[in-house]
Amino acid sequence: MFAFLVRRISQAVFVMLVISLLGFSIRHQIGDPVRDLVGVSVSVAEREALRDELGLNDPFHVQYLRFLKGLLKGDLGQSFFFKKPALDVILAKMPATLELVFCAGVIIVVFSVPLGMYAAIRPKSFFSRLIMGGSIVGVSIPVFLTAILLIYLFSVILGWLPSYGRGELVMVGGWQTGMLTADGWLHLILPSIALSSIMLPLFIRLIRSEMMEVLETEYIRFAHAKGLSKVRVWLVHGFRNTLLPVITVGGVQIGTMIAFTILTETVFQWHGMGFMFLEAVQRADTSLLVAYLMVVGFLFVVVNTLVDILYGIVNPKVRVSGRQ
Amino acid sequence: MNHLLEIRDLEVRFALRSGDLTAIDRIGFTLEKGERMGLVGESGAGKSVTGFSILNLISKPGYIAGGSIFFRGKDLAALSPEEMRSVRGNRISMIFQDPMMTLNPVMTIGDQMTESLMAHRKISRASAEALAVEKLQAVHIPSPEARLRQYPHEFSGGMRQRIVIAIALLTDPDLIIADEPTTALDVTIQAEIMDLLLELCTLKDMAMILITHDLGVVSQVTEKIAVMYAGKIVETGSTENIVARPQHPYTQGLIRALPGSREPGSRLYQIPGSMPNLSAIPKGCAFHPRCERAEEVCRREVPELLKRGTFQRLVACHLVGV
Ligand SMILES: Nc1ncnc2c1ncn2[C@@H]1O[C@H](COP(=O)(O)OP(=O)(O)OP(=O)(O)O)[C@@H](O)[C@H]1O
Ligand SMILES: [Mg+2]
């Protein structure tokens, strides 16, 4: 297990290096830190002097190493628009996004596991056909359309749920949370559903197809032949084997979730990282964009590493080969 | 008469889109306590389906279309699912062909053994583990306590089949159905596993149905034989009798095809042709297109499984005993 961990973590570090190189190249090519610092109303000569002073005329690799050093210290550059360190801007927006992703994740897990398993166990029943039909519809409607339809139905027509913003927030430590007030929860409902609207049907379909394959195996037949109850065969023997491929695919899909937060947050005026990203694009705030890329890349790598470790815990074969 | 197992007119069909396919066509046999029977025949004859139908575990479109399966006086085909569950793995156990596929890859051997016991008895985990250790010893697995914590992939094929046998024996069943238990193993290990099965059956006075296409193994292990062809039993009787004096041309072919019965240096005999597809079984005797002795009557009439002539067995062949 230890060797397995070391291998996984060194892979994660390598991926982070690649992402940082990418981020730096973007900033190197597109960004203009001088403009970020002094605006546009300063003479060319003065700018050139400033460039020298900031080391912007140094060779690429020297600048990249400096950038890396900054990264390690948590210095992701200065946001041109906010006039603050980019990391601070992002960290302030992060709780909003994380809470949204968390709620969407809970919805996905809570619904996809029982529905996917049911559809696998009783593939021909009416309810299974309904689930599968519904999941096709769910996958094929774009997130922003789902979001707009949800707002139209639950906010405009029925007036049950708020249509934008995070509602009443409470500050806990440095974390601005909407999960401690009733109003905050009400505001979370529609965006979370919208964000899960693609992944949920995808996971239902994935769990169903994997589970159906597992149910055909000899060890399931043997479990029945041992006289175990059906429920035990499905849950203990079937589901745990279904989990392995689901975890693998699920880890990859988390990246896609991040893209969907940009859409969801925009439609619901949800002031998180995705919303900030689009604003930064409009304002050409290159440093902030690069910082966003780095932070999201970092989150993605951390989550994927955790997923791999989880896979190792579920799959005994990985554990053993890691031990050797 | 009280047999341990008595199958009468068992008929199994598969509900396919093209219509029902009869895989087992009104077969019957009996088995006494502690008796071992070999079920032999070529691939597709219906041996496995017969075995699975006893436990009502036929794979999906398959169903029991008729007949009865009396086990200790009760008709298994008429039990409720819950009653059937209490027979499976308890009074009747099964061993499958490929030990690499039979054990759940993500569960420890210990868990797979104890759950089986706990499904049938009110027993604590600790005493279930003690019993599991005892059974692993019985199948000659070294240091069983440590082995309980291990996963299937940490064992070789032969070891895994031993574990499967240990699981099958946990509840001291009356009958064990072994579906080609050695086919997937190395030749060197095959004999070991067969010897082990035989030893355990004799020790516990356990009946066994040994499914195989290897008449050689059957002749060493079992007391009687049922030869299957295209979903029917074509010859059945004591092993000794049948191996020494096979009467049905198909059984004769099977025995001639054994490696031991060939002249040194000559080629291995093979029955010409192959078994018909179940959806296109020839009229009359299903074997007649491959039979060297086939006559007019064979093409016309289905031979019944009867005691024919003075032979101590049942044969389904028009040409025997006339
Ligand atoms: N799931 C299924 N669907 C349709 N037909 C099936 C199915 N399983 C078995 N059959 C039919 O039943 C027949 C008998 O199959 P069975 O598995 O009992 O053969 P077998 O004698 O055990 O052969 P083998 O030596 O290959 O194991 C097959 O020829 C096939 O036509
Ligand atoms: Mg078979």
Side-chain angles (χ1 to χ4, degrees), chain B residues 129-164:
Chain B
E129 277 194 8
L131 251 171
V133 167
E134 190 183 297
K135 294 296 174 189
L136 286 179
Q137 264 157 355
V139 298
H140 313 307
I141 298 248
S143 54
E145 286 90 354
R147 292 305 211 165
L148 282 185
R149 313 270 164 264
Q150 294 189 324
Y151 290 89
H153 68 269
E154 298 172 62
F155 295 85
S156 68
M159 291 276 255
R160 284 195 219 186
Q161 197 63 307
R162 284 168 193 275
I163 292 167
V164 171

mmCIF file of all heavy atoms in Angstrom, chain B residues 129-164:
data_model
loop_
_atom_site.group_PDB
_atom_site.id
_atom_site.type_symbol
_atom_site.label_atom_id
_atom_site.label_comp_id
_atom_site.label_asym_id
_atom_site.label_seq_id
_atom_site.Cartn_x
_atom_site.Cartn_y
_atom_site.Cartn_z
ATOM 1 N N GLU B 129 -15.842 -19.354 11.767
ATOM 2 C CA GLU B 129 -14.445 -19.344 11.320
ATOM 3 C C GLU B 129 -13.726 -20.615 11.746
ATOM 4 O O GLU B 129 -12.926 -21.165 10.987
ATOM 5 C CB GLU B 129 -13.718 -18.112 11.869
ATOM 6 C CG GLU B 129 -13.966 -16.887 11.025
ATOM 7 C CD GLU B 129 -13.012 -15.739 11.336
ATOM 8 O OE1 GLU B 129 -12.058 -15.941 12.105
ATOM 9 O OE2 GLU B 129 -13.255 -14.645 10.797
ATOM 10 N N ALA B 130 -14.020 -21.083 12.950
ATOM 11 C CA ALA B 130 -13.391 -22.313 13.417
ATOM 12 C C ALA B 130 -13.748 -23.471 12.492
ATOM 13 O O ALA B 130 -12.892 -24.276 12.110
ATOM 14 C CB ALA B 130 -13.834 -22.602 14.847
ATOM 15 N N LEU B 131 -15.030 -23.527 12.100
ATOM 16 C CA LEU B 131 -15.465 -24.581 11.180
ATOM 17 C C LEU B 131 -14.796 -24.437 9.817
ATOM 18 O O LEU B 131 -14.410 -25.432 9.193
ATOM 19 C CB LEU B 131 -16.982 -24.492 10.999
ATOM 20 C CG LEU B 131 -17.794 -25.604 11.645
ATOM 21 C CD1 LEU B 131 -19.273 -25.287 11.576
ATOM 22 C CD2 LEU B 131 -17.502 -26.922 10.943
ATOM 23 N N ALA B 132 -14.661 -23.178 9.380
ATOM 24 C CA ALA B 132 -14.023 -22.929 8.086
ATOM 25 C C ALA B 132 -12.588 -23.442 8.108
ATOM 26 O O ALA B 132 -12.131 -24.090 7.158
ATOM 27 C CB ALA B 132 -14.057 -21.438 7.756
ATOM 28 N N VAL B 133 -11.884 -23.168 9.206
ATOM 29 C CA VAL B 133 -10.509 -23.638 9.347
ATOM 30 C C VAL B 133 -10.462 -25.163 9.271
ATOM 31 O O VAL B 133 -9.631 -25.762 8.580
ATOM 32 C CB VAL B 133 -9.901 -23.141 10.680
ATOM 33 C CG1 VAL B 133 -8.609 -23.870 10.985
ATOM 34 C CG2 VAL B 133 -9.659 -21.639 10.607
ATOM 35 N N GLU B 134 -11.416 -25.782 9.963
ATOM 36 C CA GLU B 134 -11.473 -27.239 9.976
ATOM 37 C C GLU B 134 -11.643 -27.795 8.554
ATOM 38 O O GLU B 134 -10.967 -28.748 8.162
ATOM 39 C CB GLU B 134 -12.662 -27.641 10.849
ATOM 40 C CG GLU B 134 -12.760 -29.104 11.182
ATOM 41 C CD GLU B 134 -14.036 -29.342 11.981
ATOM 42 O OE1 GLU B 134 -14.157 -28.794 13.109
ATOM 43 O OE2 GLU B 134 -14.934 -30.031 11.465
ATOM 44 N N LYS B 135 -12.536 -27.166 7.771
ATOM 45 C CA LYS B 135 -12.774 -27.654 6.413
ATOM 46 C C LYS B 135 -11.577 -27.396 5.506
ATOM 47 O O LYS B 135 -11.283 -28.201 4.620
ATOM 48 C CB LYS B 135 -14.017 -26.990 5.816
ATOM 49 C CG LYS B 135 -15.304 -27.357 6.521
ATOM 50 C CD LYS B 135 -15.623 -28.840 6.389
ATOM 51 C CE LYS B 135 -16.843 -29.171 7.245
ATOM 52 N NZ LYS B 135 -17.097 -30.609 7.351
ATOM 53 N N LEU B 136 -10.899 -26.265 5.720
ATOM 54 C CA LEU B 136 -9.707 -25.998 4.908
ATOM 55 C C LEU B 136 -8.636 -27.044 5.194
ATOM 56 O O LEU B 136 -7.903 -27.472 4.297
ATOM 57 C CB LEU B 136 -9.165 -24.593 5.181
ATOM 58 C CG LEU B 136 -9.967 -23.430 4.587
ATOM 59 C CD1 LEU B 136 -9.345 -22.094 4.953
ATOM 60 C CD2 LEU B 136 -10.064 -23.550 3.068
ATOM 61 N N GLN B 137 -8.574 -27.469 6.461
ATOM 62 C CA GLN B 137 -7.642 -28.544 6.799
ATOM 63 C C GLN B 137 -8.038 -29.827 6.079
ATOM 64 O O GLN B 137 -7.194 -30.547 5.563
ATOM 65 C CB GLN B 137 -7.638 -28.781 8.312
ATOM 66 C CG GLN B 137 -6.522 -28.057 9.025
ATOM 67 C CD GLN B 137 -6.816 -27.836 10.493
ATOM 68 O OE1 GLN B 137 -7.903 -28.150 10.985
ATOM 69 N NE2 GLN B 137 -5.851 -27.281 11.194
ATOM 70 N N ALA B 138 -9.351 -30.071 6.044
ATOM 71 C CA ALA B 138 -9.838 -31.300 5.410
ATOM 72 C C ALA B 138 -9.486 -31.348 3.932
ATOM 73 O O ALA B 138 -9.328 -32.421 3.363
ATOM 74 C CB ALA B 138 -11.349 -31.414 5.601
ATOM 75 N N VAL B 139 -9.372 -30.192 3.277
ATOM 76 C CA VAL B 139 -8.992 -30.205 1.859
ATOM 77 C C VAL B 139 -7.495 -29.940 1.701
ATOM 78 O O VAL B 139 -7.026 -29.601 0.619
ATOM 79 C CB VAL B 139 -9.807 -29.193 1.024
ATOM 80 C CG1 VAL B 139 -11.282 -29.545 1.053
ATOM 81 C CG2 VAL B 139 -9.590 -27.766 1.503
ATOM 82 N N HIS B 140 -6.751 -30.100 2.792
ATOM 83 C CA HIS B 140 -5.289 -30.026 2.797
ATOM 84 C C HIS B 140 -4.741 -28.673 2.370
ATOM 85 O O HIS B 140 -3.838 -28.589 1.537
ATOM 86 C CB HIS B 140 -4.682 -31.120 1.907
ATOM 87 C CG HIS B 140 -5.287 -32.469 2.140
ATOM 88 N ND1 HIS B 140 -5.365 -33.033 3.395
ATOM 89 C CD2 HIS B 140 -5.867 -33.355 1.289
ATOM 90 C CE1 HIS B 140 -5.951 -34.221 3.300
ATOM 91 N NE2 HIS B 140 -6.284 -34.430 2.038
ATOM 92 N N ILE B 141 -5.308 -27.593 2.922
ATOM 93 C CA ILE B 141 -4.720 -26.269 2.702
ATOM 94 C C ILE B 141 -3.840 -25.968 3.906
ATOM 95 O O ILE B 141 -4.323 -25.968 5.032
ATOM 96 C CB ILE B 141 -5.827 -25.203 2.573
ATOM 97 C CG1 ILE B 141 -6.700 -25.514 1.373
ATOM 98 C CG2 ILE B 141 -5.229 -23.805 2.546
ATOM 99 C CD1 ILE B 141 -6.610 -24.577 0.237
ATOM 100 N N PRO B 142 -2.548 -25.733 3.680
ATOM 101 C CA PRO B 142 -1.662 -25.460 4.815
ATOM 102 C C PRO B 142 -1.967 -24.109 5.478
ATOM 103 O O PRO B 142 -2.456 -23.191 4.813
ATOM 104 C CB PRO B 142 -0.263 -25.460 4.190
ATOM 105 C CG PRO B 142 -0.427 -25.574 2.736
ATOM 106 C CD PRO B 142 -1.859 -25.724 2.389
ATOM 107 N N SER B 143 -1.650 -23.998 6.748
ATOM 108 C CA SER B 143 -1.894 -22.828 7.598
ATOM 109 C C SER B 143 -3.217 -22.118 7.295
ATOM 110 O O SER B 143 -3.239 -20.972 6.870
ATOM 111 C CB SER B 143 -0.736 -21.840 7.543
ATOM 112 O OG SER B 143 -0.449 -21.477 6.214
ATOM 113 N N PRO B 144 -4.322 -22.827 7.527
ATOM 114 C CA PRO B 144 -5.643 -22.291 7.159
ATOM 115 C C PRO B 144 -6.019 -20.994 7.871
ATOM 116 O O PRO B 144 -6.691 -20.159 7.271
ATOM 117 C CB PRO B 144 -6.608 -23.420 7.533
ATOM 118 C CG PRO B 144 -5.860 -24.332 8.407
ATOM 119 C CD PRO B 144 -4.417 -24.177 8.085
ATOM 120 N N GLU B 145 -5.586 -20.803 9.129
ATOM 121 C CA GLU B 145 -5.975 -19.575 9.838
ATOM 122 C C GLU B 145 -5.524 -18.348 9.061
ATOM 123 O O GLU B 145 -6.292 -17.406 8.876
ATOM 124 C CB GLU B 145 -5.385 -19.531 11.257
ATOM 125 C CG GLU B 145 -6.050 -20.455 12.252
ATOM 126 C CD GLU B 145 -5.384 -21.827 12.275
ATOM 127 O OE1 GLU B 145 -4.487 -22.059 11.440
ATOM 128 O OE2 GLU B 145 -5.763 -22.661 13.117
ATOM 129 N N ALA B 146 -4.261 -18.373 8.620
ATOM 130 C CA ALA B 146 -3.735 -17.219 7.886
ATOM 131 C C ALA B 146 -4.433 -17.089 6.532
ATOM 132 O O ALA B 146 -4.700 -15.988 6.056
ATOM 133 C CB ALA B 146 -2.233 -17.372 7.698
ATOM 134 N N ARG B 147 -4.745 -18.220 5.929
ATOM 135 C CA ARG B 147 -5.360 -18.209 4.601
ATOM 136 C C ARG B 147 -6.739 -17.566 4.596
ATOM 137 O O ARG B 147 -7.179 -17.046 3.574
ATOM 138 C CB ARG B 147 -5.468 -19.644 4.071
ATOM 139 C CG ARG B 147 -4.126 -20.273 3.756
ATOM 140 C CD ARG B 147 -3.333 -19.427 2.806
ATOM 141 N NE ARG B 147 -2.468 -20.227 1.957
ATOM 142 C CZ ARG B 147 -1.884 -19.756 0.859
ATOM 143 N NH1 ARG B 147 -2.072 -18.503 0.507
ATOM 144 N NH2 ARG B 147 -1.113 -20.531 0.127
ATOM 145 N N LEU B 148 -7.415 -17.623 5.731
ATOM 146 C CA LEU B 148 -8.758 -17.038 5.794
ATOM 147 C C LEU B 148 -8.743 -15.551 5.459
ATOM 148 O O LEU B 148 -9.711 -15.015 4.947
ATOM 149 C CB LEU B 148 -9.351 -17.202 7.202
ATOM 150 C CG LEU B 148 -9.901 -18.566 7.581
ATOM 151 C CD1 LEU B 148 -10.556 -18.494 8.940
ATOM 152 C CD2 LEU B 148 -10.914 -19.050 6.548
ATOM 153 N N ARG B 149 -7.632 -14.875 5.770
ATOM 154 C CA ARG B 149 -7.569 -13.424 5.555
ATOM 155 C C ARG B 149 -7.182 -13.075 4.126
ATOM 156 O O ARG B 149 -7.056 -11.919 3.771
ATOM 157 C CB ARG B 149 -6.549 -12.776 6.493
ATOM 158 C CG ARG B 149 -6.637 -13.210 7.931
ATOM 159 C CD ARG B 149 -7.586 -12.330 8.753
ATOM 160 N NE ARG B 149 -7.916 -13.005 9.993
ATOM 161 C CZ ARG B 149 -9.017 -13.745 10.173
ATOM 162 N NH1 ARG B 149 -9.909 -13.875 9.200
ATOM 163 N NH2 ARG B 149 -9.241 -14.349 11.312
ATOM 164 N N GLN B 150 -6.903 -14.089 3.306
ATOM 165 C CA GLN B 150 -6.403 -13.797 1.962
ATOM 166 C C GLN B 150 -7.509 -13.777 0.915
ATOM 167 O O GLN B 150 -8.613 -14.249 1.142
ATOM 168 C CB GLN B 150 -5.342 -14.825 1.583
ATOM 169 C CG GLN B 150 -4.105 -14.690 2.472
ATOM 170 C CD GLN B 150 -2.971 -15.550 1.986
ATOM 171 O OE1 GLN B 150 -3.180 -16.654 1.489
ATOM 172 N NE2 GLN B 150 -1.769 -15.048 2.115
ATOM 173 N N TYR B 151 -7.162 -13.207 -0.238
ATOM 174 C CA TYR B 151 -8.112 -13.074 -1.338
ATOM 175 C C TYR B 151 -7.844 -14.157 -2.387
ATOM 176 O O TYR B 151 -6.727 -14.673 -2.477
ATOM 177 C CB TYR B 151 -7.975 -11.689 -1.961
ATOM 178 C CG TYR B 151 -8.474 -10.595 -1.054
ATOM 179 C CD1 TYR B 151 -7.642 -9.985 -0.129
ATOM 180 C CD2 TYR B 151 -9.811 -10.198 -1.099
ATOM 181 C CE1 TYR B 151 -8.118 -8.993 0.723
ATOM 182 C CE2 TYR B 151 -10.289 -9.214 -0.257
ATOM 183 C CZ TYR B 151 -9.440 -8.615 0.650
ATOM 184 O OH TYR B 151 -9.925 -7.649 1.487
ATOM 185 N N PRO B 152 -8.857 -14.473 -3.195
ATOM 186 C CA PRO B 152 -8.706 -15.554 -4.172
ATOM 187 C C PRO B 152 -7.455 -15.437 -5.048
ATOM 188 O O PRO B 152 -6.819 -16.451 -5.338
ATOM 189 C CB PRO B 152 -9.977 -15.433 -5.021
ATOM 190 C CG PRO B 152 -10.989 -14.869 -4.098
ATOM 191 C CD PRO B 152 -10.239 -13.950 -3.177
ATOM 192 N N HIS B 153 -7.090 -14.214 -5.478
ATOM 193 C CA HIS B 153 -5.968 -14.123 -6.418
ATOM 194 C C HIS B 153 -4.636 -14.506 -5.773
ATOM 195 O O HIS B 153 -3.630 -14.607 -6.469
ATOM 196 C CB HIS B 153 -5.880 -12.719 -7.008
ATOM 197 C CG HIS B 153 -5.478 -11.674 -6.012
ATOM 198 N ND1 HIS B 153 -6.398 -10.958 -5.277
ATOM 199 C CD2 HIS B 153 -4.265 -11.250 -5.613
ATOM 200 C CE1 HIS B 153 -5.757 -10.137 -4.477
ATOM 201 N NE2 HIS B 153 -4.466 -10.281 -4.650
ATOM 202 N N GLU B 154 -4.635 -14.704 -4.468
ATOM 203 C CA GLU B 154 -3.388 -15.108 -3.809
ATOM 204 C C GLU B 154 -3.214 -16.633 -3.805
ATOM 205 O O GLU B 154 -2.293 -17.142 -3.186
ATOM 206 C CB GLU B 154 -3.356 -14.555 -2.378
ATOM 207 C CG GLU B 154 -3.392 -13.025 -2.351
ATOM 208 C CD GLU B 154 -3.544 -12.449 -0.955
ATOM 209 O OE1 GLU B 154 -2.655 -12.690 -0.132
ATOM 210 O OE2 GLU B 154 -4.552 -11.773 -0.691
ATOM 211 N N PHE B 155 -4.136 -17.339 -4.493
ATOM 212 C CA PHE B 155 -4.071 -18.803 -4.533
ATOM 213 C C PHE B 155 -3.938 -19.292 -5.968
ATOM 214 O O PHE B 155 -4.409 -18.648 -6.907
ATOM 215 C CB PHE B 155 -5.354 -19.401 -3.944
ATOM 216 C CG PHE B 155 -5.544 -19.115 -2.478
ATOM 217 C CD1 PHE B 155 -6.129 -17.929 -2.069
ATOM 218 C CD2 PHE B 155 -5.148 -20.021 -1.516
ATOM 219 C CE1 PHE B 155 -6.310 -17.656 -0.719
ATOM 220 C CE2 PHE B 155 -5.326 -19.759 -0.175
ATOM 221 C CZ PHE B 155 -5.913 -18.576 0.227
ATOM 222 N N SER B 156 -3.328 -20.469 -6.129
ATOM 223 C CA SER B 156 -3.257 -21.082 -7.460
ATOM 224 C C SER B 156 -4.594 -21.722 -7.788
ATOM 225 O O SER B 156 -5.460 -21.867 -6.929
ATOM 226 C CB SER B 156 -2.173 -22.159 -7.449
ATOM 227 O OG SER B 156 -2.596 -23.222 -6.619
ATOM 228 N N GLY B 157 -4.753 -22.120 -9.052
ATOM 229 C CA GLY B 157 -6.006 -22.722 -9.490
ATOM 230 C C GLY B 157 -6.390 -23.949 -8.671
ATOM 231 O O GLY B 157 -7.524 -24.098 -8.231
ATOM 232 N N GLY B 158 -5.418 -24.827 -8.451
ATOM 233 C CA GLY B 158 -5.693 -26.046 -7.682
ATOM 234 C C GLY B 158 -6.114 -25.726 -6.260
ATOM 235 O O GLY B 158 -7.064 -26.307 -5.732
ATOM 236 N N MET B 159 -5.421 -24.761 -5.638
ATOM 237 C CA MET B 159 -5.765 -24.344 -4.273
ATOM 238 C C MET B 159 -7.170 -23.762 -4.240
ATOM 239 O O MET B 159 -7.948 -24.014 -3.316
ATOM 240 C CB MET B 159 -4.782 -23.256 -3.811
ATOM 241 C CG MET B 159 -3.396 -23.765 -3.591
ATOM 242 S SD MET B 159 -3.271 -24.451 -1.951
ATOM 243 C CE MET B 159 -2.353 -23.148 -1.155
ATOM 244 N N ARG B 160 -7.497 -22.974 -5.270
ATOM 245 C CA ARG B 160 -8.824 -22.369 -5.282
ATOM 246 C C ARG B 160 -9.905 -23.433 -5.375
ATOM 247 O O ARG B 160 -10.938 -23.328 -4.732
ATOM 248 C CB ARG B 160 -8.958 -21.423 -6.484
ATOM 249 C CG ARG B 160 -8.237 -20.127 -6.261
ATOM 250 C CD ARG B 160 -8.702 -19.123 -7.276
ATOM 251 N NE ARG B 160 -7.558 -18.324 -7.712
ATOM 252 C CZ ARG B 160 -7.664 -17.284 -8.511
ATOM 253 N NH1 ARG B 160 -8.833 -16.926 -8.979
ATOM 254 N NH2 ARG B 160 -6.598 -16.603 -8.852
ATOM 255 N N GLN B 161 -9.637 -24.475 -6.205
ATOM 256 C CA GLN B 161 -10.657 -25.516 -6.301
ATOM 257 C C GLN B 161 -10.782 -26.239 -4.966
ATOM 258 O O GLN B 161 -11.880 -26.628 -4.570
ATOM 259 C CB GLN B 161 -10.333 -26.478 -7.460
ATOM 260 C CG GLN B 161 -11.504 -27.326 -7.910
ATOM 261 C CD GLN B 161 -12.667 -26.523 -8.474
ATOM 262 O OE1 GLN B 161 -13.167 -25.594 -7.844
ATOM 263 N NE2 GLN B 161 -13.125 -26.870 -9.660
ATOM 264 N N ARG B 162 -9.691 -26.388 -4.248
ATOM 265 C CA ARG B 162 -9.776 -26.972 -2.901
ATOM 266 C C ARG B 162 -10.649 -26.112 -2.001
ATOM 267 O O ARG B 162 -11.453 -26.625 -1.211
ATOM 268 C CB ARG B 162 -8.381 -27.093 -2.271
ATOM 269 C CG ARG B 162 -7.567 -28.243 -2.825
ATOM 270 C CD ARG B 162 -6.118 -28.141 -2.390
ATOM 271 N NE ARG B 162 -5.308 -29.061 -3.175
ATOM 272 C CZ ARG B 162 -5.161 -30.351 -2.856
ATOM 273 N NH1 ARG B 162 -5.709 -30.827 -1.770
ATOM 274 N NH2 ARG B 162 -4.464 -31.143 -3.635
ATOM 275 N N ILE B 163 -10.458 -24.798 -2.114
ATOM 276 C CA ILE B 163 -11.260 -23.899 -1.280
ATOM 277 C C ILE B 163 -12.737 -24.014 -1.648
ATOM 278 O O ILE B 163 -13.611 -24.068 -0.780
ATOM 279 C CB ILE B 163 -10.764 -22.446 -1.440
ATOM 280 C CG1 ILE B 163 -9.372 -22.313 -0.819
ATOM 281 C CG2 ILE B 163 -11.729 -21.461 -0.799
ATOM 282 C CD1 ILE B 163 -8.649 -21.049 -1.182
ATOM 283 N N VAL B 164 -13.010 -24.072 -2.961
ATOM 284 C CA VAL B 164 -14.399 -24.218 -3.405
ATOM 285 C C VAL B 164 -14.989 -25.505 -2.825
ATOM 286 O O VAL B 164 -16.125 -25.531 -2.348
ATOM 287 C CB VAL B 164 -14.488 -24.206 -4.944
ATOM 288 C CG1 VAL B 164 -15.883 -24.579 -5.408
ATOM 289 C CG2 VAL B 164 -14.099 -22.839 -5.487
#
